[in-house]
């Protein structure tokens, strides 16, 4: 296959393709790509202990992922996040960052980033920075090594901390994402905020979402952030700020630590009105909403032709089906997951 450049992409499409606007007048400018469904951890809220993963042959190649991402960039996507599964366990993943960085150089892309568990970050931090990555999200739910091992089922906290150290030494801005887990890390959140802010990192809290069967009861894991926020507000001064990163978090400044704290509250507060994103799985399935089943296969149009025209048509048609929002609920009547697929499939 001939190398893909932004110019050939535009040539293939015939002209600059129309930007992506959904039926609710939301411009789609943010693409999250799950580059693998595999992971070196098995976080209790994300995966079951004995997950079955896709056969490697089903995955899009790194070249195909590049072509797919580039088609979205040509259609006005300005922010690209690689995620998973664990993106840094996909073999050769640095070559994808390297090739996508051309869109940063051309100015078409404003941000290339990733969400990682940081287990492999020590190895890759400097390269990521070299490919134009500026900010990364690291998922970390506790600073206690034993709890960390229990949550991830076997992860090593030291490796994660070494990864964060390397990222900061390389000049990457790190944001810590922590899932609020009832009875597990709720008492520790204030210390984690002080730790993150003390290291110059923003922190975001996330509610557990009912995605996939994980072998545990969601109700046992679910801690409403409204409750956690109220508890934090008894001890800390939380000042609402207008800061936005293009994601769904709403931020406050913590006066005592002078750092930013975000809340991602898909259950207690729906953020769908301002949704600007879509997600692609590692097999090329486009999900227009994290919380709905409807999806579009982009692998067939991608492989159907050397031209990107079928792909552009398929993307346009899918965006016209983007739903207004999700309707996650976790309650006693609804004990089964709202959606059968795991977060590691669609990417967090
Ligand atoms: N492995 C990488 C990581 O952990 O950062 C990237 C993929 S992971 C699926 C992305 C994010 O989704 C993580 O921050 C994780 O905590 C979050 N996540 C996974 N399952 C979730 C669930 N059921 N509810 C809420 N967040 C979830
Ligand atoms: Fe892996 Fe991330 Fe899921 Fe944890 S949250 S099991 S690190 S994909």
């Amino acid at each position: 296959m001939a190398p893909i450049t932004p110019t050939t992409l535009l040539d293939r499409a015939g002209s600059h393709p129309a930007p992506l606007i959904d039926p609710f007048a939301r411009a789609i400018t943010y693409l999250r790509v799950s580059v693998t469904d595999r992971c070196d951890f098995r976080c209790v809220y994300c995966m079951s202990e004995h997950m079955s993963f896709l056969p490697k042959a089903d995955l899009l190649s790194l070249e195909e992922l590049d072509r797919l991402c580039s088609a979205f960039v040509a259609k006005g996507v300005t922010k690209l996040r690689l995620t998973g599964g664990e993106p840094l366990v996909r073999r050769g993943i640095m070559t994808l960052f390297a090739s996508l960085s051309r869109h940063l150089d051309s100015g078409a892309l404003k941000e290339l980033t990733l969400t990682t568990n940081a287990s492999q970050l020590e190895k890759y931090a400097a390269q990521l920075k070299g490919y134009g990555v500026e900010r990364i999200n690291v998922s970390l739910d506790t600073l206690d090594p034993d709890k960390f091992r229990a949550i991830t089922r076997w992860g090593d906290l030291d490796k994660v901390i070494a990864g964060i150290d390397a990222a900061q030494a390389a000049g990457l801005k790190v944001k810590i994402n922590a899932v609020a887990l009832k009875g597990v890390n709720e008492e520790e959140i204030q210390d984690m905020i002080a730790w993150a802010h003390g290291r110059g990192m923003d922190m975001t809290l996330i509610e557990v979402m009912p995605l996939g069967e994980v072998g545990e009861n969601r109700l046992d894991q679910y801690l409403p952030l409204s409750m956690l926020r109220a508890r934090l507000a008894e001890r800390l001064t939380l000042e609402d700020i207008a800061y936005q990163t293009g994601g769904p978090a709403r931020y406050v400044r913590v006066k005592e630590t002078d750092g930013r704290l975000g809340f991602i509250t898909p259950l207690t507060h729906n953020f769908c009105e301002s949704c600007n994103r879509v997600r692609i799985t590692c097999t090329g399935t486009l999900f227009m909403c994290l919380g709905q089943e409807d999806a579009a296969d982009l692998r067939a149009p991608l492989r159907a032709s050397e031209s990107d025209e079928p792909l552009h048509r398929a993307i346009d048609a899918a965006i016209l089906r983007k739903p207004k929002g999700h309707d996650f609920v976790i309650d006693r009547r609804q004990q089964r997951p709202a959606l059968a697929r795991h977060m590691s499939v669609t990417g967090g």
Side-chain angles (χ1 to χ4, degrees):
M1 193 177 79
I4 301 158
T5 66
T7 325
T8 53
L9 262 168
L10 291 180
D11 288 344
R12 281 173 170 173
S15 62
H16 285 269
L20 297 169
I21 308 288
D22 82 357
F24 304 95
R26 297 170 297 195
I28 307 307
T29 55
Y30 184 2
L31 176 68
R32 295 191 181 203
V33 184
S34 175
V35 297
T36 174
D37 63 333
R38 290 167 192 255
C39 186
D40 48 353
F41 293 171
R42 296 285 183 279
C43 300
V44 290
Y45 49 80
C46 179
M47 294 190 181
S48 66
E49 187 165 2
H50 305 287
M51 286 287 283
S52 38
F53 295 109
L54 292 164
K56 290 212 171 107
D58 285 5
L59 264 58
L60 294 184
S61 67
L62 293 170
E63 291 76 15
E64 287 173 324
L65 282 169
D66 178 283
R67 208 178 135 201
L68 206 45
C69 291
S70 300
F72 277 90
V73 172
K75 283 189 157 294
V77 159
T78 56
K79 179 169 174 175
L80 202 52
R81 177 179 300 279
L82 303 194
T83 175
E86 174 48 41
L88 297 183
V89 303
R90 171 96 196 234
R91 190 171 308 158
I93 191 66
M94 285 301 119
T95 62
L96 183 58
F97 278 99
S99 65
L100 290 173
S101 70
R102 72 185 184 279
H103 298 305
L104 291 171
D105 298 338
S106 76
L109 197 59
K110 289 198 193 110
E111 186 170 12
L112 174 62
T113 184
L114 79 157
T115 300
T116 176
N117 65 20
S119 66
Q120 315 289 318
L121 189 55
E122 190 177 11
K123 202 163 48 198
Y124 293 125
Q127 285 183 67
L128 287 167
K129 175 72 180 166
Y131 296 138
V133 174
E134 295 292 341
R135 305 183 308 163
I136 64 171
N137 288 356
V138 169
S139 306
L140 177 61
D141 307 320
T142 178
L143 292 171
D144 175 315
D146 295 329
K147 254 187 214 175
F148 185 78
R149 200 166 303 111
I151 293 172
T152 58
R153 291 202 177 92
W154 53 68
D156 178 357
L157 180 64
D158 286 344
K159 280 201 185 137
V160 170
I161 301 294
I164 295 171
D165 290 343
Q168 289 196 302
L172 293 168
K173 280 201 95 49
V174 178
K175 178 162 79 77
I176 300 294
N177 282 346
V179 175
L181 297 164
K182 187 157 81 179
V184 177
N185 62 1
E186 58 183 306
E187 294 305 328
E188 205 195 328
I189 297 295
Q190 193 178 340
D191 289 345
M192 287 190 74
I193 294 169
W195 170 80
H197 290 174
R199 295 187 55 143
M201 303 186 290
D202 288 349
M203 180 158 162
T204 294
L205 299 170
I206 306 174
E207 275 172 349
V208 175
M209 288 175 255
L211 298 175
E213 202 58 73
V214 290
E216 300 205 10
N217 187 342
R218 292 283 178 193
L219 204 61
D220 293 341
Q221 302 179 333
Y222 176 54
L223 173 64
L225 283 190
S226 49
M227 204 187 265
L228 184 55
R229 182 177 170 151
R231 233 187 281 155
L232 288 171
E234 287 169 11
R235 288 171 272 173
L236 297 169
T237 318
L238 310 179
E239 299 166 338
D240 282 318
I241 52 173
Y243 179 72
Q244 278 287 343
T245 59
R250 288 176 307 150
Y251 281 89
V252 297
R253 176 165 297 281
V254 180
K255 202 169 166 196
E256 289 76 4
T257 54
D258 195 28
R260 282 187 291 246
L261 177 66
F263 295 88
I264 300 185
T265 54
L267 288 111
T268 53
H269 175 266
N270 200 307
F271 43 61
C272 302
E273 322 77 64
S274 57
C275 184
N276 58 353
R277 55 203 160 270
V278 290
R279 295 171 158 87
I280 298 182
T281 69
C282 55
T283 55
T285 303
L286 175 69
F287 282 95
M288 287 72 85
C289 173
L290 177 65
Q292 301 283 357
E293 297 284 8
D294 189 26
D297 173 35
L298 297 184
R299 183 171 56 182
L302 179 79
R303 290 183 174 169
S305 165
E306 280 268 302
S307 154
D308 280 336
E309 214 151 332
L311 182 57
H312 281 283
R313 273 201 306 273
I315 294 171
D316 287 340
I319 296 301
L320 289 178
R321 303 206 309 264
K322 184 166 162 66
K324 195 166 179 192
H326 65 67
D327 30 44
F328 291 138
V329 201
I330 294 182
D331 66 18
R332 289 188 192 287
R333 281 157 295 149
Q334 184 150 350
Q335 297 267 346
R336 285 186 316 134
L339 289 176
R341 67 177 189 274
H342 292 86
M343 189 77 144
S344 49
V345 173
T346 358

